[in-house]
């Protein structure tokens, strides 16, 4: 099995206000040049926050599995304890 290079904890990533405030679990991750860590609910005109991914990894170590997610790919899960399902971003 290929070894995954872990995330650099200092990597700056975007997260939605709910993830930022830790009121929602991360259920949607997008790697589209930038990394976005989102709760998966629709957002309207809400400010994304830039954080170091180390803070999110402290909260949820399973995010480390997504370090191998290529650019143009995403991952989602139906609840915080579910397995990540990977997908390709199409626009
Ligand atoms: Zn949110």
């Amino acid at each position: 099995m290929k070894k995954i290079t872990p995330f650099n904890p200092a990597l700056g990533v975007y997260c939605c206000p709910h993830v930022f405030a830790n009121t929602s679990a991360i259920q949607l991750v997008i790697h589209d040049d930038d990394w976005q860590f989102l709760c998966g609910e629709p957002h309207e005109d809400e400010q994304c926050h830039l954080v170091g991914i180390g803070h999110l990894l402290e909260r949820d170590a399973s995010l480390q599995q997504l370090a191998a997610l290529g650019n143009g790919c995403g991952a989602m899960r139906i609840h915080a304890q579910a397995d990540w399902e990977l997908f390709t971003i199409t626009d």
Side-chain angles (χ1 to χ4, degrees):
M1 195 174 152
K2 195 171 152 222
K3 192 171 184 301
I4 296 172
T5 305
F7 281 117
N8 175 352
L11 176 71
V13 301
Y14 293 96
C15 62
C16 78
H18 313 105
V19 169
F20 184 76
N22 202 8
T23 56
S24 298
I26 297 161
Q27 290 181 215
L28 176 63
V29 175
I30 303 286
H31 185 194
D32 186 14
D33 295 329
D34 291 319
W35 287 87
Q36 298 172 43
F37 290 78
L38 310 169
C39 67
E41 297 297 324
H43 299 92
E44 288 179 28
D45 298 331
E46 287 184 86
Q47 182 90 38
C48 279
H49 297 267
L50 185 63
V51 298
I53 196 171
H55 295 290
L56 302 179
L57 289 167
E58 273 174 28
R59 201 192 297 172
D60 184 352
S62 80
L63 297 173
Q64 196 63 263
Q65 298 168 31
L66 303 179
L69 199 64
N71 197 14
C73 297
M76 60 184 297
R77 57 183 175 180
I78 52 170
H79 60 77
Q81 279 76 42
D83 290 334
W84 288 103
E85 292 177 33
L86 308 186
F87 61 91
T88 303
I89 300 164
T90 51
D91 52 11

